[in-house]
């Protein structure tokens, strides 16, 4: 049984707590967050202890491994604390707010043996993983185009947007990693940012974007994002190659369709949000974290992956602000 300490008690921490609770070989033993109401509620729900000091997670002898769900500006500090304490860590994305902080982190980790995994859960989604295996097996031939559609059902609170790093670092970063999953390293970024939601105009952030990424062979990924989608959590992926095209459509609560005198092939709306859509992915992600610990190896998603996705996010921001292609 791996005893888990959770840093943070917000929305994503609740997601991980639920995944830990469902895992047969994991136990949530400690949750730490300075906001007592949130941390107490989460800890009591899963019969865990709680602390108002996040540092306690890294020093507690009953904690075997750590999941870091703290605000992004604290990720570097908490990754370092976990490494120095000898506790494997799974850290939520993004790894940091800027590339310079990641470079400093890597330098400080030099010489410290550690297991640190980045929370790019979409790589572990059974559907996307199956598509990746098909690419590896040559089913699609040479990949030429990747199309990613990722739209949230509604925007997060403005208070969250203000500290999140913006749409590219907070939301699109998952899509940047997905693009890298299929295309490898990216060489150029061109982004168009949109400000179409009047409720979000004063945030200084974009509420939608269309981004084109290119790799060294000329293959491209096109990413379409929006902070709002009336039909639910819109998650689609297409891989186009010279031998075949493979697609992943939205997942619904059921596959029933109805046709009558008013409409044909009507279906339920998409799943509500990321927890429902990627519930299986979080479980597989946790399995990979545990496997990396037990096998003393580098996890499937690393600080390096986080750094490369962050650099793409920074390039997308620069491109959207300047209207120019940014070369990496």
């Amino acid at each position: 049984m791996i005893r888990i300490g959770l840093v943070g008690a917000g929305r994503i921490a609740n997601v991980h707590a639920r995944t830990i609770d469902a895992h047969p070989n994991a136990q949530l033993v400690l949750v730490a967050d300075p906001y007592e109401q949130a941390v107490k509620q989460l800890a009591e729900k899963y019969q865990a202890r709680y602390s108002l000091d996040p540092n306690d997670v890294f020093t507690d002898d009953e904690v075997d491994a750590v999941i870091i769900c703290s605000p992004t500006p604290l990720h570097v500090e908490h990754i370092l604390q976990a490494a120095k304490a000898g506790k494997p860590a799974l850290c939520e994305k993004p790894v940091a707010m800027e590339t310079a902080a990641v470079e400093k982190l890597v330098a400080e980790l030099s010489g410290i043996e550690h297991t640190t995994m980045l929370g790019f859960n979409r790589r572990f989604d059974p559907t996307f993983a199956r598509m990746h295996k098909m690419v590896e097996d040559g089913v699609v031939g040479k990949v030429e185009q990747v199309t990613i559609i990722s739209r949230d059902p509604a925007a997060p609170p403005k208070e969250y947007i203000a500290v999140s790093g913006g749409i590219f670092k907070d939301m699109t970063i998952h899509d940047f990693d997905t693009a890298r999953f299929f295309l490898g390293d990216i060489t150029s970024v061109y982004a168009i940012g949109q400000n179409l939601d009047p409720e979000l105009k004063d945030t200084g952030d974009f509420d939608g974007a269309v981004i084109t990424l290119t790799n060294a062979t000329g293959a491209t990924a096109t990413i379409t994002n929006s902070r709002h989608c009336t039909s639910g959590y819109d998650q689609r992926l297409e891989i186009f190659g010279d031998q075949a095209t493979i697609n992943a459509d939205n997942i619904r609560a059921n596959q029933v369709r109805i046709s009558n005198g008013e409409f044909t092939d009507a279906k339920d709306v998409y799943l509500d949000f990321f927890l429902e859509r990627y519930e299986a992915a979080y479980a597989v992600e946790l399995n990979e974290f545990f496997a990396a610990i037990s096998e003393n190896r580098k996890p499937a998603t690393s600080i390096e992956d986080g750094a490369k996705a962050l650099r793409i996010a920074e390039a997308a921001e620069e491109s959207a602000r300047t209207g120019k292609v940014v070369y990496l």
Side-chain angles (χ1 to χ4, degrees):
M1 184 69 68
I2 297 181
R3 300 170 297 180
I4 303 293
L6 200 56
V7 184
R11 182 176 64 178
I12 193 62
N14 277 265
V15 171
H16 283 292
R18 174 173 166 176
T19 305
I20 294 166
D21 186 61
H23 198 285
N25 296 317
Q27 180 186 5
L28 181 62
V29 296
L30 180 62
V31 186
D33 191 292
Y35 298 99
E36 185 167 12
Q37 182 177 357
V39 70
K40 182 179 179 181
Q41 182 179 8
L42 180 57
E44 289 180 347
K45 182 176 181 180
Y46 295 102
Q47 295 81 53
R49 294 180 289 117
Y50 75 89
S51 171
L52 303 184
D53 184 357
N55 296 321
D56 288 345
V57 169
F58 306 106
T59 59
D60 195 295
D61 290 337
E62 294 185 11
V63 172
D64 300 318
V66 178
I67 297 181
I68 299 169
C69 305
S70 51
T72 300
L74 297 175
H75 285 181
V76 166
E77 174 188 339
H78 288 160
I79 289 171
L80 275 172
Q81 284 185 269
K84 290 177 180 178
K87 298 185 188 294
L90 168 59
C91 182
E92 267 303 319
K93 55 76 195 168
V95 63
M97 293 291 274
E98 62 280 323
T99 293
V102 184
E103 292 173 346
K104 183 179 179 182
L105 168 64
V106 172
E108 292 195 50
L109 285 173
S110 178
I112 300 175
E113 187 174 341
H114 66 96
T115 299
T116 306
M117 180 173 174
L118 260 290
F120 289 125
N121 67 295
R122 293 184 190 175
R123 292 196 186 203
F124 306 101
D125 174 69
T127 298
F128 294 170
R130 168 66 174 153
M131 295 173 77
H132 189 261
K133 182 65 165 54
M134 293 174 75
V135 170
E136 287 186 320
D137 290 345
V139 173
V140 302
K142 181 182 177 182
V143 175
E144 297 179 355
Q145 297 172 346
V146 174
T147 303
I148 302 168
I149 295 176
S150 180
R151 300 184 178 110
D152 284 353
K158 291 182 181 180
E159 296 79 10
Y160 175 81
I161 292 175
V163 298
S164 69
I167 191 171
F168 296 121
K169 293 178 182 178
D170 174 55
M171 178 180 175
T172 324
I173 200 158
H174 274 299
D175 305 311
F176 294 146
D177 184 69
T178 300
R180 289 193 62 247
F181 193 36
F182 287 95
L183 293 182
D185 287 342
I186 301 302
T187 58
S188 71
V189 182
Y190 179 64
I192 298 174
Q194 295 177 293
N195 293 109
L196 302 178
D197 187 341
E199 295 296 319
L200 299 178
K201 281 190 179 296
D202 61 352
T203 64
D205 190 26
F206 301 108
D207 53 69
V210 178
I211 309 109
T212 301
L213 311 178
T214 308
N215 73 5
T217 70
T220 62
T222 303
I223 301 169
T224 301
N225 287 152
S226 178
R227 290 285 200 189
H228 58 84
C229 180
T230 57
S231 50
Y233 192 41
D234 190 5
Q235 298 287 291
R236 286 173 277 167
L237 176 65
E238 177 185 279
I239 311 298
F240 172 81
D242 61 357
Q243 299 296 318
T245 302
I246 53 177
N247 295 83
D249 204 352
N250 281 294
I251 297 176
R252 295 170 169 82
N254 62 70
Q255 301 304 311
V256 173
R257 297 179 296 172
I258 180 173
S259 300
N260 59 24
E262 297 181 17
F263 41 72
T264 59
D265 280 347
K267 306 176 184 178
D268 281 355
V269 296
Y270 310 144
L271 292 179
D272 184 55
F273 208 18
F274 68 93
L275 174 57
E276 293 82 4
R277 171 59 184 85
Y278 291 111
E279 184 171 16
Y282 282 107
V284 179
E285 178 185 66
L286 192 62
N287 282 335
E288 165 60 18
F289 181 46
F290 291 166
I293 295 172
S294 65
E295 297 166 14
N296 193 29
R297 62 167 172 80
K298 183 178 178 180
T301 50
S302 65
I303 291 175
E304 181 182 5
D305 292 311
K308 289 183 176 181
L310 178 61
R311 181 66 192 98
I312 298 171
E314 291 174 332
E317 180 80 20
E318 179 183 348
S319 177
R321 300 291 181 189
T322 64
K324 298 179 180 179
V325 176
V326 177
Y327 296 94
L328 303 179

